[in-house]
Amino acid sequence: MDSVLELRAIRKSFAGFAALDGADFTLRRGEVHALLGENGAGKSSLMNVAAGLYAPDGGRILIGGREQRLGGPREATAQGIGMVHQHFHLVKPFTVAENILLANPRGRFSRGIETIEREIAFCTNMLGFVVDPHRRLDSLSVAEQQRVEIVKVLLGGATIIILDEPTAVLTDEEADGLLTTMRRLAAQGTAVVLVTHKLREVTRYADRVTIMRGGRHVAACDPKTMSTAQLTELTVGVALPSPVREKTARGELRLIVAGLRVEHETGRTALDGVGFQVRAGEIYGIAGVSGNGQSELVGALTGTTAVAAGDIWMSGAGHIADRPPAIRRSGGLAAIPADRYAQALAGGLSITDNYAVAGVMAGRYGPWGWLDRKAMAKAAAAAVRAFDVQGVRGLKQRAGLLSGGNAQKLVLARELAGDPVLIVAHGPSRGLDARACAAVHERLLAARARGNAVVLVSDDLDEVIGLADRIGVMSRGRIVAEFDAPADRQAIGRAMVDHG
Amino acid sequence: MAICEFIVNWAGGVPATALPYALAALGLIVSERAGVLNLTAEGLLLVGALAGIGASLAIADRPWVALPAAVLAAMAVGLLFAGLVVLLRVNQVIAGLAVVFFCQGLTSLLGTLAEWQNHPISGLGKLIVWPLSELPAGTHALFQQDGLVYALLPIFYGVHRVLFKSMTGLRLRAVGEAPEAADSAGLGVTRYRVLAVVAGSALIGLAGGYLAVGGTKMWFGGMTGGRGWIAVALVIFARWRPWRALFGALLFGCIESMVPRIAAAGISVPQYFILMTPYLVTIAVMVWAGRGKGGADLDEPGALGRPHVREERR
Ligand SMILES: Nc1ncnc2c1ncn2[C@@H]1O[C@H](COP(=O)(O)OP(=O)(O)OP(=O)(O)O)[C@@H](O)[C@H]1O
Ligand SMILES: [Mg+2]
């Protein structure tokens, strides 16, 4: 057998909750092995066990056929296992070279920096991309940071590379580039684990796929012999109907944006005269390569980014371009921000508090200083049920412990409660599994059918095309083209890059 | 030239007053760069001061006995603090305050029990190093300094080198910025944090020892007079950078050594106003340092005050 890594009957519990319940996994030399599973299935947990970060409660780890005990990441690295985490493990104020040197010491500091810079150049040359070793990490894009992680792992001599949802934050092209590189490494004998929710990547790039559900192994097979429908069914248990967009009557104007300008501290213009209108019962999609002003637009709409010039009018709240977020929210704005853990939830607070905070602001649970905690808990419990938030062990549990999809469902439950005038959603299904993704889309379509106006900003072109009634394409801080549904994918794709 | 003499005297007094601030702030920087929020300075200064005097009285009235004693005593208390916050993960603010109160009580008690109070020692003598001693005699008031003052620059240079130009420093800062990253890079986060706190405590202890054997040359309860708190503020002003901390300390040294000279010059300013000035300046400096910025822009170490537990999700 040429299995380089074997995990047998791994068990791991967190505070009594079994995240891994006898999970098996076998990795062979020279393969790209996809790991599929719903949010919270235990994919990251299992890989963290392999990387030495989580100490398993039970089970066996075999590396190169021999049983090993991994006391920590250092032992795993020594065994040739390197992992690129879902949330990168990088030091923001350090340079690229310093970050890589930290994990791969090369003697004394100044000599080490020189050596590592040479090695970085060699490694990136081989992989076919560039990273400037002198750049500070926080000045890099997510895709570039990921490259740093990969170089870091490779220079550590890894022969087993674990990538935990590497493509969740990448554009299609970047993802293809990364996975092609991984295929090349596999051809040279490296074993690659690819954790992902995107079936397209599985069928295109993986030699084998393991599917997990509820902390256990469900199946391992060759993805080439499977249809996407079969894979989906194995992953989530049932076949999913794709959401249908019914015809709705467009209502009155809900949002008018005109001549919007946003400038960065550095003086760079992030938004340069953006204008569009959204009506009730309509989803206005914004497509584009990320980094072309989408985040700034969402910030300007929700009130977290200062506007330099231009006007935002929202029915129910009036001209809001320079009003604080609270005014907008009381006027009926609902926001589903891109970073759910940082901007949408308070990770350290309970599920109840996170759900009920909007209602508290509106005075729904009694006056300030006299909250009806019972009513809050009851409302939260109902919402958790209605929106099918999984992995809730108790309403007092910290919201930060929810897996990505379930955290997003909680945000949706809060934001869609009541009858918002306008919903601004930014990358609402990023990092979500097929089922959670479908749930999010269904909720947004339901809001549209109810007559809410929706602005949907997403890097995922398929998502925008599938949901939006009209699509604006953003490039370099402008809306360069607008399309009515049904839109032509090719034409949108051209508009995205033509001006970019 | 009375005014000239005034300025020379005043400037000559600056290094000695600045030194405790500088060393204490430097010690705090070492600890906080590793991510441990450290409020213990006031307590550690007291411990260092008492140990310095105690060693001088009980063992030998020599600075090379007193200063190491101060350093060792502060390191012991630092180890206690590190155990509380790094190993037991007690809230770092509360543990820091508790250590200060504990040290205040303990030093007063020990000082009284051992009858070390108000016993003057000869302490550190002033010296003037060679090329400076050749300058005209009028300038000697400027350069006649304690030996430790001359050691200050090498100490700062050394700490700066270690923090920013060595693997140890790289790791220490990584532990303070992103413990998850440090952990998965195979570093012992706990070990680095404990070491940083203890090393930082040594520097603060040295500052305390100097206050006693170089400054007052005797022990009395609470003799540090809030200098530790000013050092805490200095660290923020300095944005956790050693050279800026030295600059800030000199600034405070200027103000503090001005205070008695104003009084001596016969200018009548209410005494309490004078005693208040360092704190007023602290607040002013903090406002200035933080003007128009959010916390993140102050270069605060990313994981300051946040304990690291490998398997815990944030
Ligand atoms: N450190 C931890 N502390 C507490 N609970 C945890 C921890 N790590 C994982 N869990 C829980 O274990 C379960 C599995 O989580 P895991 O992150 O492995 O899922 P996943 O398959 O990677 O999901 P996703 O696709 O959302 O990344 C979840 O319910 C999660 O809340
Ligand atoms: Mg995961």
Side-chain angles (χ1 to χ4, degrees):
Chain A
M1 270 283 281
D2 54 354
S3 75
V4 287
L5 172 70
E6 227 178 298
L7 303 169
R8 289 203 197 141
I10 303 286
R11 283 183 294 107
K12 178 74 189 172
S13 298
F14 294 103
F17 170 84
L20 294 176
D21 188 16
D24 297 314
F25 182 76
T26 308
L27 181 68
R28 294 189 197 134
R29 203 180 117 81
E31 71 172 355
V32 173
H33 192 138
L35 184 57
L36 270 178
E38 289 184 272
N39 293 123
K43 306 179 296 294
S44 297
S45 301
L46 186 63
M47 290 304 112
N48 275 322
V49 167
L53 268 173
Y54 286 2
D57 300 335
R60 306 204 300 151
I61 302 171
L62 282 78
I63 299 170
R66 250 177 305 151
E67 180 152 3
Q68 301 281 355
R69 221 149 259 302
L70 297 177
R74 191 200 293 265
E75 279 90 337
T77 309
Q79 297 288 341
I81 300 178
M83 178 161 173
V84 176
H85 293 267
Q86 204 167 352
H87 307 282
F88 301 148
H89 285 185
L90 293 168
V91 187
K92 290 226 175 73
F94 282 13
T95 65
V96 169
E98 286 171 337
N99 262 290
I100 293 175
L101 186 65
L102 186 70
N104 305 292
R106 297 283 187 270
R108 294 171 59 95
F109 179 74
S110 50
R111 188 84 49 77
I113 287 277
E114 278 172 31
T115 316
I116 214 79
E117 280 176 4
R118 242 176 294 127
E119 289 182 32
I120 293 169
F122 182 76
C123 185
T124 49
N125 219 348
M126 187 190 77
L127 296 178
F129 52 66
V130 273
V131 282
D132 178 357
H134 305 289
R135 290 271 296 277
R136 252 174 73 122
L137 211 88
D138 45 11
S139 72
L140 300 183
S141 73
V142 189
E144 290 171 311
Q145 293 188 19
Q146 190 171 55
R147 289 178 194 158
V148 177
E149 283 277 33
I150 290 168
V151 173
K152 183 169 104 180
V153 163
L154 284 176
L155 289 188
T159 51
I160 299 172
I161 299 181
I162 301 168
L163 303 167
D164 195 355
E165 295 195 30
T167 56
V169 290
L170 301 184
T171 63
D172 283 0
E173 276 144 77
E174 288 168 338
D176 284 329
L178 170 72
L179 295 175
T180 310
T181 307
M182 288 303 135
R183 278 245 57 103
R184 220 167 50 235
L185 285 174
Q188 293 162 13
T190 307
V192 180
V193 183
L194 171 68
V195 181
T196 185
H197 290 296
K198 297 183 183 166
L199 298 178
R200 191 182 73 95
E201 293 167 0
V202 177
T203 47
R204 247 169 93 182
Y205 293 100
D207 301 304
R208 274 194 320 144
V209 54
T210 290
I211 293 161
M212 285 181 73
R213 203 188 308 153
R216 291 163 155 278
H217 164 107
V218 180
C221 50
D222 180 352
K224 309 254 170 3
T225 64
M226 309 281 286
S227 71
T228 11
Q230 280 172 308
L231 283 175
T232 313
E233 203 173 326
L234 278 172
T235 320
V236 299
V238 287
L240 290 171
S242 51
V244 277
R245 202 158 52 87
E246 281 156 16
K247 273 213 156 3
T248 53
R250 288 187 199 175
E252 84 284 359
L253 272 173
R254 285 280 173 88
L255 176 74
I256 304 174
V257 177
L260 201 61
R261 269 179 74 82
V262 166
E263 273 157 24
H264 268 276
E265 278 169 39
T266 54
R268 190 171 65 80
T269 307
L271 289 186
D272 187 11
V274 168
F276 60 93
Q277 306 184 344
V278 189
R279 292 178 175 276
E282 180 181 53
I283 296 183
Y284 186 82
I286 291 189
V289 177
S290 64
N292 274 288
Q294 289 96 325
S295 310
E296 289 82 0
L297 176 61
V298 170
L301 290 176
T302 54
T304 53
T305 301
V307 171
D311 187 36
I312 303 172
W313 177 88
M314 184 183 135
S315 83
H319 297 274
I320 52 171
D322 47 9
R323 311 305 306 277
I327 302 270
R328 306 176 192 217
R329 290 194 72 95
S330 62
L333 175 77
I336 301 162
D339 188 343
R340 41 195 92 109
Y341 294 105
Q343 295 171 310
L345 293 172
L349 295 184
S350 70
I351 290 178
T352 303
D353 289 349
N354 270 290
Y355 174 75
V357 60
V360 169
M361 293 295 291
R364 214 171 301 144
Y365 304 109
W368 281 94
W370 196 263
L371 290 177
D372 185 351
R373 302 228 36 125
K374 268 214 193 90
M376 282 165 66
K378 217 166 104 191
V384 162
R385 234 174 300 118
F387 278 73
D388 187 34
V389 184
Q390 306 269 323
V392 177
R393 289 155 238 166
L395 290 171
K396 293 217 174 83
Q397 176 193 330
R398 292 201 298 132
L401 292 182
L402 290 174
S403 75
N406 293 308
Q408 188 70 313
K409 287 184 200 164
L410 181 65
V411 174
L412 280 172
R414 179 182 70 212
E415 296 299 316
L416 300 186
D419 193 10
V421 172
L422 174 70
I423 300 162
V424 177
H426 190 189
S429 60
R430 186 178 291 168
L432 302 194
D433 65 43
R435 197 212 299 258
C437 206
V440 168
H441 291 168
E442 197 183 307
R443 293 292 172 179
L444 287 177
L445 286 174
R448 165 182 177 268
R450 199 165 57 173
N452 302 149
V454 181
V455 176
L456 169 68
V457 182
S458 176
D459 307 339
D460 183 349
L461 194 48
D462 293 318
E463 177 171 53
V464 177
I465 291 176
L467 297 180
D469 298 288
R470 281 187 308 131
I471 298 169
V473 177
M474 265 192 108
S475 174
R476 293 191 171 175
R478 297 161 174 272
I479 292 197
V480 291
E482 243 180 41
F483 297 87
D484 282 313
D488 174 12
R489 201 178 196 283
Q490 251 74 42
I492 296 178
R494 269 198 304 278
M496 277 164 62
V497 291
D498 256 7
H499 306 255
Chain B
M1 289 285 275
I3 185 78
C4 213
E5 206 181 302
F6 177 86
I7 288 177
V8 167
N9 274 328
W10 167 56
V14 169
T17 32
L19 190 138
Y21 293 123
L23 280 180
L26 189 65
L28 293 178
I29 288 174
V30 171
S31 156
E32 300 203 344
R33 279 281 183 177
V36 180
L37 178 62
N38 199 331
L39 298 179
T40 60
E42 181 71 4
L44 293 180
L45 285 176
L46 281 170
V47 168
L50 181 74
I53 295 285
S56 300
L57 291 174
I59 305 169
D61 195 352
R62 292 279 181 277
W64 41 263
V65 172
L67 292 178
V71 168
L72 287 177
M75 282 169 83
V77 178
L79 191 62
L80 171 83
F81 175 66
L84 286 176
V85 297
V86 182
L87 300 179
L88 302 177
R89 285 183 267 121
V90 177
N91 179 300
Q92 299 182 0
V93 174
I94 294 175
L97 293 177
V99 165
V100 172
F101 295 136
F102 166 72
C103 291
Q104 284 173 339
L106 184 77
T107 51
S108 301
L109 180 72
L110 287 181
T112 321
L113 283 182
E115 299 190 355
W116 286 337
Q117 278 200 15
N118 303 328
H119 280 291
I121 58 164
S122 60
L124 267 179
K126 305 268 179 198
L127 56 91
I128 183 160
V129 292
W130 164 66
L132 300 172
S133 57
E134 300 298 313
L135 290 171
T139 63
H140 281 191
L142 209 53
F143 300 120
Q144 195 88 35
Q145 299 289 355
D146 298 308
L148 201 55
V149 167
Y150 289 110
L152 196 59
L153 281 178
I155 289 177
F156 265 77
Y157 181 70
V159 172
H160 174 83
R161 292 285 305 186
V162 170
L163 274 180
F164 298 101
K165 303 276 179 234
S166 80
M167 285 308 287
T168 311
L170 188 73
R171 294 183 176 131
L172 187 144
R173 288 182 291 129
V175 162
E177 290 287 350
E180 305 76 31
D183 191 8
S184 55
L187 306 181
V189 175
T190 306
R191 198 170 47 125
Y192 270 92
R193 287 192 165 169
V194 170
L195 284 177
V197 170
V198 173
S201 302
L203 288 169
I204 305 173
L206 186 60
Y210 173 79
L211 261 182
V213 297
T216 56
K217 296 194 179 14
M218 65 161 125
W219 167 258
F220 52 94
M223 58 169 281
T224 52
R227 285 182 177 80
W229 300 118
I230 291 181
V232 169
L234 263 179
V235 172
I236 301 172
F237 161 73
R239 300 192 185 174
W240 291 267
R241 290 189 201 145
W243 292 119
R244 287 185 58 132
L246 183 59
F247 170 74
L250 286 173
L251 205 68
F252 268 94
C254 289
I255 296 162
E256 198 185 301
S257 69
M258 181 68 92
V259 169
R261 286 181 174 80
I262 286 181
I267 301 166
S268 87
V269 186
Q271 183 204 356
Y272 289 107
F273 181 80
I274 290 179
L275 293 179
M276 205 168 75
T277 33
Y279 301 98
L280 272 181
V281 174
T282 307
I283 292 171
V285 158
M286 298 293 293
V287 170
W288 176 75
R291 84 216 107 108
K293 294 190 183 135
D297 291 340
L298 291 175
D299 298 336
E300 182 178 298
L304 186 62
R306 178 160 59 82
H308 173 67
V309 191
R310 182 179 285 171
E311 298 196 355
E312 193 167 89
R313 261 199 194 169
R314 267 198 296 143

